[in-house]
Amino acid sequence: MTDFYEQDQENLNFISEKLQQIDREIPVPESVTASRLIQRMENDEKSPRLRVVRPRTWQRAAGYAAAFLLLLGGGLYWTVIGHQMGKQAPAPQELMSSAATACDSAMMLESAPAATAEDDPGAELLEHIEAMRSYYASDYAQVRETLKLVIDAPRAWEPEPMEEEVANEKSDPMTGGVGVDTGFESGAANGMTADSHPDAGGDGERAPGGGDVYSTNVQTQDVDEADIVKTDGEYIYYLSNQGSEEPQISILAADDLTLASTISIQPDVIPIDLFLADGKLAVLSNTYNFTELPRYALYTDGVKQVGTRTTSAVSVDVYDISDPANPVNERTFEQQGDYVSSRLVDDVVYLVSRSANTCNPHYEEYDDAMLVPSVLDTAVDQTPRTMAASDICIPAEVTDSNYTVLSAVRLDDPDDSTTKAVLGGGNTVYMSTDNLYVAGYRYDGDNYLMEAGETTLLKFSVDGTDIDLIAQGSVPGRIDGQFALDEGETGELRIATTTERYADPEAARKAREENERLREERKRARMAAPAKPDIEEVAEEDIAEVNPDTSSISPEDDPYRTVTDNNIYVLDEYLEHLGSLMGLAPEESIYSVRYIGDIAYLVTFEQVDPLFAIDLSDPANPVLLGQLKVPGFSEYLHPIGENTLLGFGYETAVTEDGGVTTQGLKLSLFDVSDPTNPRETEVYRLGDQGSYSPALYDHRAFLHYSSKDIIGIPVTLYEQFGNNSGDRWSRNYKFAFDGLYLFRVTEESIKFVGHLSQSDGITDEGEIYRQNLNIRRGVYIGDRIYLFSDARASMYSLDTLELLEETDL
Amino acid sequence: MNIDLQTVASAKAGSSESFSLLYEQVQDELYKYALYTLGNAHDAEDAVADTFVEAWRGISNLRDEAAFKAWIFRILSVRMKRKIADLIKRKNTLNIEDFVSDFTADTDIERETSDKVIVLGALGKLSNQERMIVVLSAIQGYTTREISEMLGCPHGTVSSKLHRALIKMRKMIEMG
């Protein structure tokens, strides 16, 4: 290793010396002097920058953050559009911009007495929408010019066209995603928002028989999310083997689990999830070979075609299921891109995809139409149609050459659908009853030089099939999936993020300056060196410190070390800053978030799990109410009644060497009747190290039968056996169970009810996996419980837990 | 000389004089770096001019004032990467005339310049990225860590490419 290094140094000196000679004599032309370049800049006719970037930046230097917190603590109030006027005290400079904006808007409102927000919030919204309309492209040329600017902008990091992940799922270690989540924006699943009512989702309608009918555990009440299993109480629609080579959609009668029909799936189509609405089944899939585009490249003698490529699309196949034994595919709606997320409100499906732009806008050989996404609605067209320029939105801040495509499709009216596309966007979708937010993550590659990333936000107002882009905004840091966002009662948006900063910015700065100084010295030394010494004569000491490699510095001493912070930001309805609480639980990351009314519950983790309760009733002034530290952490928080939270996650233990490992799964009941003093009142542990549940990372796998106080969780459990004492290497874990665990959970207690499995008697987990008997979902209808694996559907009595029927798929 | 933080702050605030002052301190290095990478004066001038404009437009976003140099080098690196990536077939040699001021046929000078020709030839045979790394390291003295920041490339990649490039060049130079 030493020889290697010394050899390098030798080579370096040898070459250095030769190059220095040349370097010294290179003539630097007059044309690159500052004065000439300024002149050139002024003379150049570049296309005008389409939009001015509005100052939305947030200073993260510690000094400013502290000052900001102090200001908040001191009780200053920001002017909130349309609400009360507060004092405008001298704010730190970087906050002036949003203050100025708020102030201007307030003044605008005052001078237009007929249309203040208090008199007519609708008018203000309309004004805003009108203003945003100006952001739609006037023609394709404008789109092309914008793309050129984006592509030419110097950025060290290119946003990748989105890969095929099932979006809105928390990064799941079992499927190879990033480990226990540190806030990737494509992670999603935990927590629910309950608007102002603590008990949200999962309730189901009344079935004709009088019992309750299962519906997916969703974030926003009345806004359905697509899932692999749906039911209307009479029939169950189930997508099995999703993501594998042979997916299957089965339609089963709820009474006796007889297979009424199956829906065949074409090759080149990968089904993802289902929606059910009033006699229609919507199947969402990724498809390939949507359109074909030529591919061009630049050679020394011009641009030539080098082949073709196909685009992908997300499709909604609409089936008429008025006769479930004979589903009829009556319509297919496809939009270009990869699936991001979807929602269903009444009978309108909202579909979000990410469409990568891989055509270089500089090449005029690409038609305008190829730079813009396409859409196909078989109810209307035979072939895909390019979107109109007037449906392409170029927001104020464009940093991304990929599109987010959003469509609203009314399932039983082919004439009623809308599609809009925006340059930019992201992989996470949150929908309240009226608005749909797309959140993305933008990371300026200069991580060492500037702030780390920010979460970008696009807000669309949604009313049936009317979609309007309302606002664009951003906040520092990453979010932990869709549950990090919540819309409050007055339309403000709350968002919890994890940010990164230098542990010691001073040290980082000093290290950089020191390196700079050393560099200058080395350079000076080389320039002054006498000509051509023999290699053998280079002294030992000269080799040593010439090019110190900093990779061997230990983490604690690394001056460039970063730490994490956790924050809550509150933005107004136009995504302008209202208030924030920053710097929670430094060095930890957010593991789950849940908003209940005006209180945000945040779980962060490093060695213990603090549960934070934050009061958001005054949007300008979020206040930390209380915190609770317990071992382990919750990946998912679910409200029970008005005063209780159920946390589902891992138990942890500190190891001998000071690290932390996860152990088994844990259900915790938190009494939050007094948010200033959250208490853990009950704990139920399942399994030991190695145990897992899909509900940890996907909220849709969590079953809540609220009218019967039943909670169901699919789990795979490992149990410890053998030597319990001694060091951890002598303990052994073996597979114990796969199936659904049922609990009766009230505000007072967690009581184990029983567990159901399709793999009773099989002790080899590998065998269960091979037979596809791992339980994915539990479903309830009346007094029956149903289990779904990729191989089988089974039905049990909720009272006796006995098996009533089963059907192989 | 170290970049004066006051000047950076003043440039951020919008002073074109301060910005020009800053730029002048790095002007030669920027140009030469571009020249080595792109191989000819014309392209190098364009790259530097574009970098100048982008830096001027974006300097208000520079949060860490001490990082001005690395930041502007970063801009130039990215610009050049794009230019290089655009061309599939590119004559990957350096235009000697742009590197040597007086290319005469005098015997002594001929020997010296032919030496330079060999070295430049060797440099020209490296890939663009290898060349950028060698230039930043061997001529301008940046550490591999700093280079990885500038090029947006993992540190390990920079170290190993540098290692290989140095060996390659040395072989080529020694063999003439």
Side-chain angles (χ1 to χ4, degrees), chain A residues 8 11 16 23 25 31-32 40 152-153 156 158 300 446 450-451 515-516 519-520 522-523 549, chain B residues 23 29 32 36 45-46 63 69 71 74 79 82 89 116 138-141 146 155 163 170:
Chain A
D8 253 357
N11 288 340
S16 212
D23 188 78
E25 296 184 7
S31 53
V32 296
R40 175 169 165 165
D152 290 344
E158 290 285 317
T300 43
D446 286 334
M450 301 188 194
E451 244 62 271
N515 279 338
E516 184 65 24
R519 201 178 68 78
E520 294 287 344
R522 289 194 290 271
K523 199 171 154 184
D549 189 353
Chain B
Y23 169 75
E29 278 185 25
K32 290 181 188 179
Y36 290 118
E45 280 172 37
D46 273 348
R63 285 171 179 76
K69 228 182 223 180
W71 175 74
R74 182 58 167 279
R79 293 225 137 245
R82 250 182 252 286
K89 286 184 187 143
K116 284 189 186 161
I139 303 181
Q140 300 188 348
E146 288 167 324
H155 180 236
H163 172 74
R170 180 148 189 185

Side-chain angles (χ1 to χ4, degrees), chain A residues 98-113:
Chain A
S98 32
T101 317
C103 201
D104 288 344
S105 312
M107 282 176 3
M108 256 166 54
L109 289 171
E110 280 187 58
S111 61

Side-chain angles (χ1 to χ4, degrees), chain A residues 627-655:
Chain A
Q627 56 174 283
L628 168 69
K629 278 187 199 273
V630 291
F633 56 88
S634 300
E635 286 281 10
Y636 176 62
L637 293 172
H638 190 98
I640 303 281
E642 303 241 344
N643 299 308
T644 317
L645 274 179
L646 180 68
F648 178 54
Y650 283 106
E651 182 73 80
T652 56
V654 180
T655 59

Side-chain angles (χ1 to χ4, degrees), chain A residues 4 7-12 14-29 31-35 37-38 40-41 44 46 49 57-60 150-158 297-300 306 360 362-363 445-451 502 508-509 511-513 515-517 519-520 522-524 526 532 535 546-551 558 560, chain B residues 1-2 5 16 20 23-24 27-29 31-32 35-36 41 44-46 48-50 52-54 56-57 61-67 69-71 74-75 78-79 81-82 86-91 97-101 112 115-116 119-120 123 134-146 148-149 151-152 155 159 162-167 169-170 173-174:
Chain A
F4 186 93
Q7 184 62 44
D8 253 357
Q9 287 308 312
E10 261 187 41
N11 288 340
L12 188 60
F14 175 75
I15 289 179
S16 212
E17 193 271 313
K18 300 231 175 261
L19 288 175
Q20 292 290 349
Q21 283 186 344
I22 294 175
D23 188 78
R24 251 171 268 156
E25 296 184 7
I26 292 178
V28 177
S31 53
V32 296
T33 55
S35 49
L37 289 179
I38 289 180
R40 175 169 165 165
M41 187 164 70
D44 257 354
K46 291 190 184 304
R49 287 192 117 202
T57 55
W58 307 63
Q59 286 293 348
R60 284 293 299 131
V150 174
I151 283 177
D152 290 344
R155 300 186 63 221
W157 175 77
E158 290 285 317
L298 177 63
Y299 287 84
T300 43
V306 285
N360 189 331
H362 287 293
Y363 299 167
D446 286 334
N447 188 29
Y448 295 102
L449 306 182
M450 301 188 194
E451 244 62 271
Y502 282 126
R509 175 197 294 261
R512 191 183 310 286
E513 283 177 5
N515 279 338
E516 184 65 24
R517 194 185 60 76
R519 201 178 68 78
E520 294 287 344
R522 289 194 290 271
K523 199 171 154 184
R524 240 177 278 132
R526 288 205 194 107
K532 266 199 187 282
I535 300 300
V546 164
N547 203 15
D549 189 353
T550 53
S551 62
D558 183 359
Y560 299 108
Chain B
M1 74 200 89
N2 254 332
L5 296 183
S16 60
S20 301
Y23 169 75
E24 266 153 26
Q27 167 186 305
D28 283 8
E29 278 185 25
Y31 171 75
K32 290 181 188 179
L35 181 63
Y36 290 118
E45 280 172 37
D46 273 348
V48 171
D50 287 342
F52 181 88
V53 171
E54 286 306 329
W56 168 237
R57 282 195 183 145
N61 288 331
L62 176 64
R63 285 171 179 76
D64 183 359
E65 282 147 22
K69 228 182 223 180
W71 175 74
R74 182 58 167 279
I75 294 177
V78 172
R79 293 225 137 245
K81 270 207 276 193
R82 250 182 252 286
D86 241 0
L87 306 178
I88 292 187
K89 286 184 187 143
R90 185 189 168 83
K91 285 187 108 190
E97 279 156 13
D98 294 331
F99 286 85
V100 177
S101 13
E112 203 184 78
D115 202 32
K116 284 189 186 161
V119 173
L120 284 174
L123 195 57
V134 167
V135 165
L136 289 171
S137 166
I139 303 181
Q140 300 188 348
Y142 287 99
T143 63
T144 47
R145 173 89 181 223
E146 288 167 324
S148 81
E149 282 180 28
L151 301 185
H155 180 236
S159 295
L162 177 63
H163 172 74
R164 278 200 297 274
L166 291 176
I167 292 178
M169 272 196 75
R170 180 148 189 185
I173 292 171
E174 282 174 341

Side-chain angles (χ1 to χ4, degrees), chain B residues 3 5-6 12 25-26 32 38-39 44 61 74 98 109 111 129 132 136 146 164 171:
Chain B
I3 298 288
L5 296 183
Q6 275 294 78
K12 277 171 72 164
Q25 291 177 359
V26 295
K32 290 181 188 179
L38 299 174
N61 288 331
R74 182 58 167 279
D98 294 331
I109 298 179
R111 220 183 321 129
Q129 189 179 40
M132 284 159 95
L136 289 171
E146 288 167 324
R164 278 200 297 274
K171 272 209 189 102

